[in-house]
C-alpha cells in the first residue's frame, strides 16, 4: 500500500529534440511539468493517445528511466535517487517477458528466490496470489503452452506476488482479443478489491481506463489535461481534447456561430440551415456572431417533432441492434446521434433535432478550453 505523488516532473530523452540539422525542437519533452497525487489503495488510469508520455511516466515511477527534473514521492519519501529494487513496486508490461524454460510456478518464484525467501514462504505467497488471477491450474505449465490471456495473468501475478506497495500496469490487455480483454479487465478489478494495492494502469483505451480506474489522468503531448473520476471527465471535460477522447462514439464537436434573434440565441453552422436553440444558462457568456465550438454527445442529440430547429435530412443510418446511430450533415461535418428507440430511417428522411441543453459544452475555438457559465 502506498501513496504516490509527482511534483513538476519533466522528461527529455537525450536522443530526441534534435532535428536533422542538430537544432532543438521546442516540444522535445516526452513529459512536461507533470504533477499529481494518488491516494493509498486507489486505482489510477493514465490515458492518452500513443506517444503522449504514458509509458515514460510509468517507467520514471518504477525507476527504469531517469527524470530530467522534478520530484517523486512514495509515502512522503523522495524516490528520485532510489534504485528500482528499493521502490517496492510491482511491474507488468504488455510484453509478458516470462522465462520460457521455467514453469509458471518457477516464474512466479523467481524474484522471491532472488530475495532469498524460504521455499515455504514462496509457496505460501504463490498460493495466495494464484487463485486471484486464476493461474492456480497453470502452475506446472511452461509459458509456451499458455494462451495470451493466461500469459498476461501470470505476468500480473508475478508483479503482485512480492506484495508491492505500488502496482504498475502498462497496457496489460493490449495483446488480447475483445472477449478476453473484458474478462481479464474484470479479473484485474476484482484483484484490486482483494489486495487493495495502489495501482496505476497505463492505457490508450478509454473503455479500459473508465471501467477500471477510480481516477483518470488524461495526457496529451506529455502534458496532463485533466484528472478526475470517470464521471467527471465524461460529464465535465475541461477542453476539446478530453471531450473528444472520452466517449464512444465520441462527442460531436461542431464549429458554430452564435446568432441572436428575437426569441433568443441560436447555434448556426457554416453552409448549413441547421439552427439549434442555445440553453439560457449560456446567455451571459455568449454574444451575437461569436464563434464557438459546440460539444454535444451523440446520446444528447434528440430527434423531436416539436423542435424549433430546422428540418434536416438523414445522411447515414446504422442499426447495431441494441443501439441506432443517425448522422446528419452540418456543413462539411457530420453530427452523430445515438438512440435506443426503435426507429428506422432511410437516407434523406427529414428529421428535427434538439440538444439536451444541460449536456451541451461550449469551447473556445482558439484555445480549445471550456467556456464556463457564470
Ligand atoms: P506512450 O506510452 O504514451 O505511447 P511514450 O512514453 O512511450 O508514450 O513516449 C513519449 C515520447 O517519448 C514519444 O515521443 C516517444 O517517441 C519518446 N520516447 C519514448 N521512449 C524513448 C526512448 N527510449 N528514447 C527516445 N525517445 C523516446
Ligand atoms: Mg506506451
Amino acid at each position: 500500500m502506498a501513496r504516490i505523488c509527482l511534483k513538476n516532473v519533466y522528461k527529455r530523452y537525450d536522443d530526441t529534440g534534435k532535428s536533422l540539422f542538430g537544432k532543438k525542437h521546442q516540444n522535445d519533452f516526452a513529459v512536461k511539468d507533470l504533477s499529481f497525487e494518488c491516494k493509498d489503495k486507489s486505482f489510477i488510469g493514465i490515458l492518452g493517445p500513443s506517444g503522449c508520455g504514458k509509458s515514460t511516466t510509468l517507467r520514471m515511477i518504477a525507476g527504469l528511466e531517469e527524470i530530467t527534473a522534478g520530484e517523486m514521492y512514495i509515502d512522503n519519501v523522495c524516490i528520485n535517487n532510489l534504485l528500482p529494487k528499493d521502490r517496492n513496486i510491482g511491474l507488468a508490461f504488455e510484453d509478458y517477458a516470462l522465462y520460457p524454460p521455467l514453469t509458471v510456478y518457477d516464474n512466479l518464484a523467481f524474484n522471491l528466490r532472488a530475495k532469498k525467501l524460504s521455499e515455504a514462504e514462496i509457496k505460501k505467497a504463490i498460493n495466495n496470489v494464484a487463485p486471484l488471477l486464476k493461474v492456480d491450474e497453470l502452475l506446472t505449465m511452461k509459458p509456451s503452452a499458455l494462451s495470451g490471456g493466461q500469459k498476461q495473468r501470470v505476468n500480473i501475478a508475478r508483479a503482485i506476488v512480492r506484495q508491492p506497495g505500488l502496482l504498475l500496469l502498462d497496457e496489460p490487455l493490449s495483446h488480447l482479443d475483445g472477449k478476453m480483454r473484458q474478462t481479464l479487465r474484470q479479473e484485474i478489478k476484482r484483484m484490486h478489491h482483494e489486495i487493495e494495492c495502489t495501482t496505476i494502469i497505463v492505457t490508450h483505451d478509454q473503455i479500459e481506463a473508465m471501467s477500471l480506474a477510480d481516477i483518470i489522468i488524461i495526457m496529451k503531448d506529455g502534458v496532463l489535461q485533466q484528472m478526475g473520476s470517470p464521471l467527471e471527465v465524461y460529464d465535465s471535460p475541461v477542453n476539446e481534447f478530453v471531450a473528444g477522447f472520452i466517449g464512444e462514439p465520441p462527442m460531436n464537436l461542431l464549429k458554430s456561430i452564435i446568432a441572436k434573434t428575437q426569441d433568443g440565441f441560436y447555434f448556426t453552422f457554416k453552409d448549413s440551415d441547421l439552427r439549434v436553440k442555445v440553453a439560457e444558462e449560456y446567455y451571459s457568456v455568449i454574444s451575437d456572431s461569436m464563434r464557438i465550438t459546440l460539444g454535444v454527445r451523440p446520446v444528447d442529440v434528440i430527434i423531436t417533432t416539436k423542435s424549433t430547429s430546422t428540418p434536416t435530412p438523414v445522411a447515414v443510418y446504422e442499426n447495431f441492434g441494441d443501439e441506432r446511430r443517425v448522422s446528419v450533415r452540418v456543413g462539411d461535418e457530420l453530427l452523430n446521434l445515438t438512440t435506443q428507440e426503435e426507429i428506422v430511417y432511410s437516407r434523406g428522411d427529414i428529421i428535427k433535432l434538439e440538444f439536451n441543453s444541460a449536456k451541451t459544452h461550449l469551447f473556445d475555438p482558439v484555445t480549445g478550453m471550456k467556456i464556463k457559465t457564470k
Side-chain angles (χ1 to χ4, degrees):
M1 284 185 260
R3 192 163 55 84
I4 167 114
C5 175
L6 270 66
K7 287 188 185 164
N8 312 103
V9 170
Y10 288 78
K11 174 66 187 180
R12 176 160 42 195
Y13 288 101
D14 290 341
D15 53 345
T16 59
K18 290 206 180 107
S19 74
L20 274 178
F21 306 102
K23 285 186 186 157
K24 292 233 166 200
H25 288 300
Q26 283 186 320
N27 292 326
D28 53 358
F29 284 99
V31 170
K32 282 173 239 172
D33 200 13
L34 182 61
S35 300
F36 66 83
E37 194 175 327
C38 325
K39 283 194 298 201
D40 183 25
K41 300 181 189 170
S42 56
F43 200 141
I44 307 292
I46 301 183
L47 175 67
S50 178
C52 74
K54 305 180 296 294
S55 297
T56 300
T57 302
L58 216 60
R59 292 169 60 82
M60 289 191 292
I61 296 171
L64 302 175
E65 205 67 73
E66 268 186 43
I67 65 173
T68 306
E71 289 154 40
M72 298 190 294
Y73 295 85
I74 293 181
D75 290 335
N76 296 330
V77 176
C78 181
I79 58 164
N80 282 22
N81 299 318
L82 283 190
L83 291 172
K85 69 177 176 59
D86 298 328
R87 296 187 184 198
N88 191 22
I89 282 171
L91 280 172
F93 291 114
E94 63 179 302
D95 297 314
Y96 329 109
L98 302 173
Y99 303 110
L102 303 185
T103 61
V104 168
Y105 184 94
D106 289 335
N107 265 285
L108 295 181
F110 195 88
N111 288 320
L112 302 179
R113 288 186 179 134
K115 280 171 74 180
K116 306 264 186 287
L117 263 65
S118 73
E119 284 302 317
E121 286 171 305
I122 292 173
K123 190 164 187 193
K124 192 167 163 225
I126 292 177
N127 285 342
N128 278 340
V129 159
L132 283 178
L133 284 148
K134 297 197 177 148
V135 300
D136 32 355
E137 315 237 298
L138 312 174
L139 293 173
T140 56
M141 292 163 80
K142 296 265 176 77
S144 58
L146 305 178
S147 71
Q150 290 171 328
K151 280 186 204 160
Q152 195 51 271
R153 284 167 199 272
V154 176
N155 191 25
I156 299 171
R158 185 175 52 174
I160 62 172
V161 76
R162 285 187 286 173
Q163 298 186 312
L166 183 63
L167 175 63
L168 304 179
L169 306 172
D170 192 345
E171 310 258 8
L173 308 178
S174 62
H175 287 327
L176 310 178
D177 60 37
K179 184 109 176 42
M180 181 56 77
R181 284 174 89 106
Q182 197 194 337
T183 312
L184 194 49
R185 208 164 65 207
Q186 287 163 342
E187 302 291 339
I188 291 176
K189 189 149 188 148
R190 195 177 46 82
M191 170 206 77
H192 180 255
H193 284 309
E194 301 243 342
I195 65 171
E196 296 190 317
C197 174
T198 312
T199 303
I200 304 182
I201 187 167
V202 153
T203 173
H204 63 276
D205 179 349
Q206 50 118 4
I207 301 202
E208 220 160 277
M210 297 286 277
S211 62
L212 282 170
D214 327 310
I215 296 289
I216 295 181
I217 291 170
I218 297 159
M219 291 179 69
K220 178 184 173 238
D221 299 335
V223 178
L224 184 150
Q225 306 289 305
Q226 187 168 3
M227 177 169 180
S229 69
L231 212 59
E232 275 164 352
V233 295
Y234 180 88
D235 272 343
S236 312
V238 295
N239 61 27
E240 268 184 54
F241 176 78
V242 175
F245 201 76
I246 302 280
E248 172 52 37
M251 186 185 281
N252 295 290
L253 292 164
L254 299 170
K255 291 185 187 68
S256 169
I257 304 159
I258 301 289
K260 188 172 186 201
T261 68
Q262 278 179 338
D263 61 335
F265 288 101
Y266 281 79
F267 296 111
T268 68
F269 307 90
K270 190 168 173 275
D271 299 327
S272 168
D273 294 333
L274 183 70
R275 295 161 78 86
V276 179
K277 205 147 193 325
V278 181
E280 282 189 21
E281 58 178 295
Y282 285 114
Y283 281 16
S284 60
V285 290
I286 56 172
S287 54
D288 191 28
S289 308
M290 183 178 178
R291 286 172 188 278
I292 57 115
T293 302
L294 166 64
V296 61
R297 295 203 181 277
V299 286
D300 298 316
V301 182
I302 302 145
I303 300 174
T304 170
T305 46
K306 49 186 192 305
S307 163
T308 45
S309 59
T310 330
T312 310
V314 169
V316 182
Y317 172 76
E318 297 164 294
N319 194 334
F320 293 95
D322 58 345
E323 177 186 282
R324 282 107 190 135
R325 296 187 185 177
V326 181
S327 307
V328 301
R329 195 155 280 292
V330 178
D332 54 8
E333 298 172 292
L334 277 182
L335 169 65
N336 304 312
L337 70 94
T338 54
T339 173
Q340 250 110 44
E341 278 172 42
E342 302 264 339
I343 44 167
V344 178
Y345 288 108
S346 303
R347 186 178 157 81
D349 284 355
I350 301 297
I351 55 173
K352 283 182 171 186
L353 302 176
E354 199 170 62
F355 297 157
N356 176 356
S357 54
K359 296 286 181 75
T360 50
H361 305 263
L362 273 56
F363 300 101
D364 181 323
V366 179
T367 63
M369 298 307 286
K370 187 178 172 84
I371 300 171
K372 294 198 185 87
T373 53
K374 288 185 180 128

